[in-house]
Amino acid sequence: MTTGVRRRLGVEERRQQLIGVALELFSQRSPDDVSIDEIAAAAGISRPLVYHYFPGKLSLYEAALKRAAEDLAGRFKEPQEGPLGARLLRAMHRFFDFVDDHGPGFSALMRGGPAVGSSATNALIDSVRQAAYEQILSHLDVQNPPARLELVVRSWISLAESTALLWLDGRRIPRAELESQLVHDFAALAAVSAAYDEEMGALLRRMIKDEPPNGPFADLVARLLALAS
Amino acid sequence: MTTGVRRRLGVEERRQQLIGVALELFSQRSPDDVSIDEIAAAAGISRPLVYHYFPGKLSLYEAALKRAAEDLAGRFKEPQEGPLGARLLRAMHRFFDFVDDHGPGFSALMRGGPAVGSSATNALIDSVRQAAYEQILSHLDVQNPPARLELVVRSWISLAESTALLWLDGRRIPRAELESQLVHDFAALAAVSAAYDEEMGALLRRMIKDEPPNGPFADLVARLLALAS
């Protein structure tokens, strides 16, 4: 399966190569449908040699997932400048890039399943959610979030996950539309909470005070008013 | 562990009793932390006898989950009359009753984990989601939902799940507030979608045309307008 001279790789280098090969295959098919034989063939090494670096498929899967989780968590990082709507929109764009690149692996992971529902993988998923949560709080400039804000942010993160999963199932709606829709959903969920809670109201006003008249939040409000009239 | 005469139960009767006992224990602690010994003790029978009715803990867990899933799916059923907001609110109330009654079991199930992440349990979770989805479509009186409506309804169902899970973690927000907040969230997600799509706009107008001036949707709009002014 290889051509020409095969360079000897160091242990860590070989592990990283196998992780990359596995992620590439998981981006095309569910991890459940990818065998160690295929990973070995794609890496140009023997099956026993794969087991030399990873004791089993689960350990290779977990290592691949760890790299993907670090990648994904990094995509929520965004400079603390400019209006919030535009920041969230850029983060959503990078999030959908990730989902687009890792479709079948992302679906299998988030839906759980035989090969993927271990405690270790659940802990990794939670670590990405936590990273996204902390990023958003830092953009809102809030250190000690009240319970209602925590609920809005965390439930919005789960909304982004489920929206991405539904999108992957047939891709019937353009992803750019879903990226801005999720930014609007964030504002909408915050507004619903703010409609009944003074503290959230103050937070919402602070959140949108720097929004430009041509930004995503102002656009939404104008369209909603048009819809209501 | 039993008092007085122990009546002999038929096979199906005994299975149903064990399922009930297991659900009761899972409502107090995560299934992972409940042993077959405890279930046997609580049912007043021997451990080997439990295995006579269920070959292993997973099969008992799956049977218990099946009963809970049927229970939960039934709670979304609602007569097709009266304004939509009030219908959704009653369904959310029954949903939170269920979550309240089955706290630790519900959390463990939805978060996945060693004992609970099997394909059979995932299929059951999906069947409840599907039942809720079809119920909502029937209330909207839509047979062939456009992709955007499907996205709104399904992603709202996942929002209800994550809101319930976050509520269980500390119960820091009164559940009645979350029940009506979720009804508002449904309207908000539909409105965001309708702001950018003509078909969803027509659907939203039809959805709210029978809403009474003192209903949950009208209340939200009034509060949002007050917030914006």
Side-chain angles (χ1 to χ4, degrees):
Chain A
M1 303 297 284
T2 53
T3 56
V5 181
R6 189 194 295 162
R7 190 167 66 85
R8 278 190 168 262
L9 299 179
V11 172
E12 192 47 36
E13 215 178 349
R14 178 65 86 188
R15 283 176 57 92
Q16 293 304 322
Q17 181 217 10
L18 285 170
I19 290 172
V21 165
L23 278 177
E24 180 63 29
L25 289 168
F26 298 160
S27 74
Q28 292 151 23
R29 277 174 299 139
S30 165
D32 283 329
D33 302 329
V34 175
S35 68
I36 286 286
D37 282 325
E38 282 175 274
I39 294 170
I45 65 176
S46 70
R47 179 188 165 91
L49 199 51
V50 175
Y51 284 112
H52 174 71
Y53 294 104
F54 293 98
K57 189 174 154 188
L58 184 61
S59 80
L60 174 52
Y61 178 75
E62 286 176 0
L65 182 58
K66 187 158 183 288
R67 189 199 281 180
E70 286 162 2
D71 173 3
L72 180 54
R75 299 193 186 210
F76 296 106
K77 287 199 188 123
E78 175 69 32
Q80 308 267 353
E81 54 193 42
L84 182 68
R87 293 188 214 176
L88 279 181
L89 189 57
R90 284 192 292 270
M92 281 300 98
H93 184 68
R94 291 191 297 264
F95 170 60
F96 270 84
D97 276 347
F98 178 92
V99 171
D100 208 352
D101 287 346
H102 296 84
F106 181 79
S107 284
L109 176 65
M110 303 308 289
R111 290 185 198 281
V116 297
S118 75
S119 327
T121 59
N122 284 332
L124 273 172
I125 295 175
D126 279 343
S127 75
V128 175
R129 288 177 180 147
Q130 184 63 23
Y133 172 66
E134 288 170 10
Q135 264 298 308
I136 292 170
L137 284 190
S138 80
H139 286 287
L140 298 174
D141 202 15
V142 172
Q143 273 80 43
N144 299 303
R148 285 172 184 79
L149 179 62
E150 179 172 349
L151 181 79
V152 164
V153 177
R154 290 196 191 273
S155 63
W156 178 75
I157 290 166
S158 95
L159 189 73
E161 287 171 20
S162 55
T163 299
L165 278 172
L166 289 163
W167 173 69
L168 281 175
D169 186 12
R171 305 192 181 205
R172 290 175 295 154
I173 305 174
R175 54 168 271 199
E177 183 180 329
L178 296 181
E179 292 164 14
S180 49
Q181 186 177 305
L182 279 165
V183 176
H184 295 137
D185 287 343
F186 184 81
L189 297 182
V192 166
S193 184
Y196 294 82
D197 183 75
E198 194 49 52
E199 193 176 15
M200 285 297 292
L203 211 112
L204 183 69
R205 275 187 290 271
R206 192 155 63 79
M207 214 169 92
I208 59 178
K209 80 169 169 18
D210 295 328
E211 287 301 309
N214 59 346
F217 291 157
D219 184 38
L220 175 66
V221 171
R223 282 166 183 266
L224 287 177
L225 289 174
L227 196 71
S229 67
Chain B
M1 301 295 286
T2 54
T3 55
V5 181
R6 190 195 296 162
R7 190 167 66 85
R8 274 189 171 262
L9 300 180
V11 172
E12 192 47 36
E13 216 178 348
R14 177 66 86 189
R15 281 176 59 92
Q16 292 304 322
Q17 181 216 11
L18 285 170
I19 289 171
V21 164
L23 277 177
E24 178 65 30
L25 289 168
F26 298 160
S27 74
Q28 293 151 21
R29 277 174 300 139
S30 166
D32 283 328
D33 302 330
V34 176
S35 68
I36 287 286
D37 282 325
E38 282 175 274
I39 293 170
I45 64 176
S46 69
R47 178 189 166 90
L49 200 50
V50 175
Y51 283 112
H52 174 70
Y53 294 103
F54 293 98
K57 188 173 154 189
L58 184 61
S59 81
L60 174 52
Y61 178 75
E62 285 177 1
L65 181 59
K66 188 159 182 288
R67 189 199 280 179
E70 286 162 3
D71 173 3
L72 180 54
R75 299 193 185 211
F76 296 105
K77 287 199 188 122
E78 174 70 33
Q80 309 265 353
E81 53 194 41
L84 182 69
R87 294 187 213 175
L88 278 181
L89 190 57
R90 285 191 293 270
M92 281 299 99
H93 185 68
R94 291 190 298 264
F95 171 60
F96 269 84
D97 276 347
F98 178 93
V99 172
D100 208 352
D101 287 347
H102 297 83
F106 181 79
S107 283
L109 176 65
M110 303 308 289
R111 289 184 198 283
V116 297
S118 76
S119 326
T121 58
N122 284 333
L124 274 172
I125 296 175
D126 279 343
S127 76
V128 175
R129 287 177 181 148
Q130 184 63 24
Y133 172 67
E134 288 170 9
Q135 265 297 310
I136 292 170
L137 284 191
S138 80
H139 287 287
L140 297 175
D141 202 15
V142 172
Q143 273 80 43
N144 299 303
R148 285 172 183 80
L149 178 62
E150 179 172 350
L151 182 79
V152 164
V153 176
R154 289 197 192 273
S155 64
W156 178 74
I157 290 167
S158 95
L159 189 72
E161 288 170 21
S162 55
T163 299
L165 278 172
L166 289 163
W167 173 69
L168 280 175
D169 186 13
R171 305 192 180 205
R172 289 174 296 154
I173 304 174
R175 54 168 269 196
E177 183 180 330
L178 297 181
E179 291 164 14
S180 50
Q181 187 177 305
L182 279 165
V183 176
H184 296 138
D185 288 342
F186 183 81
L189 296 183
V192 165
S193 184
Y196 293 82
D197 183 75
E198 195 47 54
E199 192 177 14
M200 285 297 293
L203 212 114
L204 183 70
R205 274 188 291 271
R206 192 155 62 78
M207 213 170 92
I208 58 178
K209 82 171 167 15
D210 296 328
E211 288 301 309
N214 60 348
F217 291 156
D219 184 38
L220 175 67
V221 171
R223 283 168 182 266
L224 287 177
L225 289 174
L227 196 70
S229 67

